[in-house]
Every structure is written in C-alpha cells, then in structure tokens.
C-alpha cells in the first residue's frame, strides 16, 4: 500500500516535519498577539498617562530611535495587556494532564490535531472577541491555552512510538525547535501584515495559513507504525526491532516515579531552565520594543530564526556525539547541560556588568538564549528515555511545573520595577538566572540519567 514516495521519505521523517510545523503553529499563534498589540493599542493616549515605558530595559538611553506611537482602537493599559497575553497559560496549565491521558489512552495523533485546531479557531476569533470586550479576549486566550497544553504530551507520546533510539535526540530537537521557528515567523509576518493592512488581518491570515496543516496531519500521521497504511514494511520492522512495544496498557507507577531521583533531576532542570527561558523572552521584548517596528521585526523575528538554526546545529552535533560507541546517553546529556549552563551563566554575568549597551546587550541575550534553548532540546527527550511507556504523563508533570514561571516572572518583574531602578531590578533577575543554571547543573549531573528506569514496565 505504500508508494514509492514513502520509500524515499520515511514516515517517521514526515512525522518529524509535520510535528515541527505543528509546534511552530501553536507557538506562533500564541505569540502573535504580543506584537499585534502595536496595531491594536492606542499608545498615543497611553503615553499621556506615562504607561508606554513601564517595562523598558533602557528607558533613558537616548541613543536609540524610539518606536513610532500608534493609535489603535483599544486603550488597554500595560498591566491589562500582560493579563490578556498571560491568560493563555491558565488554559495551558489546565489541559496538560488531561492532554497526557488523552494522548496515552486514546490517540496522540488526534490530541495534537485538536491542539492546533483549537488555536486556529481562537486566532480567527480574536478580532471578534477583542471588539466585544477584553474579557472575551481573555476567555479566548484561555481556550487557546487549553489547546497549547495538549501539544507536548501528544508529541512526546508520538515520538516515543516512532523515533529510533539513536535518532531520538535529533528528532525531538527538530520537533521542539519548532517553538523557536514559530515565534520567529510569527514576529516577522505579524509586523509585515500590520505595516500594510489592518491589525485584524494578522489573525485572519495566520489562522487561514495554519489551517492548511490540519488535513496533512490527518492524512500522513498515525499513532503507531502498525496503524499506518502508508508505511513500508522495512520501516515498520526497523522501528519495531529498535523501539519494541512502548505502548502496553500499563498503570501509572506514581509512587515509583515520585521517589525516582532521575525524575526529580529532570523536573528541577526543566523548571529552572524554563524560568531562565521566560526571563530572557521578557527581556528580549521589553529591550527591543524601544526600537522602531521594523527593528522589532528584524531583531525579534530574524533573531529567533538564527536561534532555530543554531538549535538544529547543536542538536546535530549532539546526535553525532551520541553515536560514538564510547559515549553513553547519560554522559552526553550531562556534557551538554554543563557546557550550555556555563555559557548561560557567563552571559548573565556580562549582562550584569555591561548594563545597557545596545550591541553588547543584544549579543549576550542572543548567546544566552541559544544556550538555554540547547539545554531544553537536550532534556526534552529524557522523558522518553526514562520511561517510554509513560512519556506523556512524565512530560505533563515537568511541563506543568515549567509553565509556572511564565505566570510568575511578569509579576516578579513588575514588583521589582515598582521598588527598584530598572537596571538594578534586572540585575537581581539575572542573578536569579545564574542561581537556577547552577541548580540545574548540580541536580542533573549528580542525579540525572539517560537510561530506561525499572518502573517503566511496572
């Protein structure tokens, strides 16, 4: 039944490509509202009440060209914009564990399909919701977050069934690097669309373009190799011989998992690095928003594109390193975390020292972001390595904890800025990032593991 096309491009590669695009869609549709605010908000009116520069990293730096204030239809204060944008994570937290249960016990394919479909519908409905009332927009963002929370458990379950052990790192890295790719493309296209069309078209065009993915996912992706009518017999045998049966009907060994040191090392690493990731994400936006719209498009958009390419290069080198007979998975993962954590710590120290110096600050943020992204891509396959039978629920546990910083960091940043000066507040935040990088390295190097755990088959 499989045609010549699937002998040239294996089904697991198609899964990786469509999985990457699916992750890019969900993250791109999540992020586009942040930049669409430039066309939606009446910044001229907000400037009169001193709201525009509230979170700027370099508010007094006159060497930069300030962005042109826009006069959108909505007079939403900065704190309300943050509430609207961050409400996404409430839905995200709500759906993580149900998403894992659906992916493991029903269908990971259809769970991921629903995740993207929900985000497409909510994106298309964003202009209507915003015009009704900001409360309706918050509700729509929460619903979109429910879709977003399904993505990681669904993709983890699919990857546990389709990825060969020696390809797992590069396959996971490619799929989850879609988060950076989606953010990049969303930044570029949001501001390009806004420069020529009304802000509403940002959501209409992106929702329509994203919907093209849906029939492709239905036609080419299946839950297991056994269920796929398009896979070749050679590929099916290769996956079965290499992966084995990773989807038996086994109960969740809660006691064994929550007393497992490798699991706690992974959870702490995922949460700590997530805190650093969201810190740099917020810093990137508030620092670069002092530039013109075109500069934001190039610096935020193309900058994320560079990170996406860099992450794939790092993952490729890591994959090559793991193929060496003298290197174990555990050793390779620890080497990546140690190396990238040291780079991130150096960048945080330099950010504390240089303060607000345009190009130096941009370089240090970029390098720090790349190293943190590399750590992410290094630890995400670890759930599958520890327990492929429970990959969905494991990533749900760690991702739930790792999403909390997305809600807490804006609150902490706002609180610090109300008490201290801008640069001193960010220095405190950088020091916290250094401490978390040290904690991640310490916990994972001592207790982390890349080996399958005994409780996988309990």
């Amino acid at each position: 039944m499989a045609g010549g096309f699937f002998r040239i491009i294996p089904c697991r590669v198609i899964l990786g490509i469509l999985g990457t695009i699916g992750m890019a869609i969900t993250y791109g549709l999540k992020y586009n509202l942040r930049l669409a605010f430039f066309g939606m908000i009446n910044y001229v009116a907000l400037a009169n009440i001193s709201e525009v520069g509230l979170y700027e990293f370099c508010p007094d730096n006159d060497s930069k060209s300030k962005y042109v204030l826009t006069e959108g239809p909505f007079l939403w204060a900065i704190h309300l914009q943050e509430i609207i944008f961050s409400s996404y994570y409430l839905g995200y937290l709500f759906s993580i564990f149900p998403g894992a249960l659906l992916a493991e016990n029903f269908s990971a394919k259809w769970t991921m399909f629903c995740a993207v479909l929900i985000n497409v519908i909510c994106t298309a409905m964003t202009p209507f919701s915003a015009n009704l009332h900001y409360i309706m927009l918050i509700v729509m963002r929460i619903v979109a977050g429910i879709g977003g929370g399904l993505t990681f458990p669904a993709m983890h379950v699919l990857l546990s069934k389709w990825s060969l052990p020696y390809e797992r790192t590069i396959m996971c890295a490619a799929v989850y690097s879609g988060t950076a790719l989606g953010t990049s493309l969303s930044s570029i296209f949001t501001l390009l669309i806004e420069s020529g069309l009304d802000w509403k078209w940002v959501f209409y065009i992106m929702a329509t373009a994203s919907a093209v993915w849906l029939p492709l996912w239905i036609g080419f992706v299946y839950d297991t190799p056994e269920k796929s009518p398009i896979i070749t017999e050679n590929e099916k045998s290769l996956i079965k011989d290499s992966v084995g049966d990773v989807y038996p009907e086994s109960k969740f060994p809660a006691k064994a998992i929550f007393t497992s040191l490798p699991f706690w090392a992974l959870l702490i690493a995922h949460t700590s690095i997530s805190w650093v990731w969201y810190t740099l994400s917020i810093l990137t936006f508030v620092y670069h928003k002092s530039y013109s719209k075109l500069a934001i498009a190039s610096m935020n958009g193309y900058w994320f594109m560079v990170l996406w390419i860099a992450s794939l290069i790092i993952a490729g080198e890591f994959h090559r390193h793991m193929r060496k007979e003298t290197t174990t998975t555990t050793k390779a993962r620890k080497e990546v975390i140690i190396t990238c954590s040291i780079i991130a710590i150096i960048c945080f120290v330099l950010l504390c020292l240089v303060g607000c110096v345009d190009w130096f600050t941009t370089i240090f943020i970029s390098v720090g972001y790349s190293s943190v992204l590399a750590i992410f891509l290094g630890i995400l396959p670890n759930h599958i390595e520890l327990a492929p039978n429970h990959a969905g629920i494991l990533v749900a546990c760690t991702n739930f904890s790792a999403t909390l910083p997305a809600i807490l960091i804006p609150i902490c940043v706002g609180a610090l800025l109300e008490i201290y000066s801008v640069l001193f507040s960010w220095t405190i935040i950088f020091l916290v990032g250094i401490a978390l990088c040290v904690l991640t390295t310490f916990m994972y190097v001592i207790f982390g593991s890349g080996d399958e755990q005994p409780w996988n088959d309990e």
Side-chain angles (χ1 to χ4, degrees), residues 180 184 300-313 366 370 373:
S184 167
N300 277 11
Y302 297 112
W303 179 76
F304 271 109
M305 184 69 75
V306 171
L307 292 186
W308 178 66
I309 296 172
S311 67
L312 293 181
I313 294 174
S366 302
S370 298
L373 181 60

Side-chain angles (χ1 to χ4, degrees), residues 26-27 29-33 84-85 87-93 95 114-124 126 136-151:
T26 53
Y27 268 72
L29 297 184
K30 174 184 75 171
Y31 189 75
N32 65 358
L33 180 65
I84 293 171
F85 184 79
S87 59
Y88 180 96
Y89 296 105
L90 295 177
Y92 193 98
L93 289 173
S95 65
C114 290
V116 176
L117 178 63
I118 290 171
N119 275 269
V120 168
I121 294 173
C122 290
T123 299
T126 294
M136 287 301 300
L137 182 56
I138 290 174
V139 171
M140 197 59 61
R141 290 286 293 175
I142 293 174
V143 175
I146 291 175
L150 304 176
T151 53

Side-chain angles (χ1 to χ4, degrees), residues 177-226:
S177 69
T179 58
L181 175 63
T183 304
S184 167
L185 296 177
S186 179
S187 301
I188 295 170
F189 287 113
T190 295
L191 294 170
L192 288 178
I193 294 169
E194 274 194 334
S195 65
L197 299 171
D198 188 67
W199 64 270
K200 297 177 183 178
W201 287 100
V202 170
F203 303 100
Y204 295 147
I205 292 175
M206 286 193 173
T208 303
S210 300
V212 175
W213 177 91
L214 297 171
L216 297 176
W217 184 260
I218 293 175
F220 293 110
V221 174
Y222 295 87
D223 282 304
T224 65
E226 286 76 9

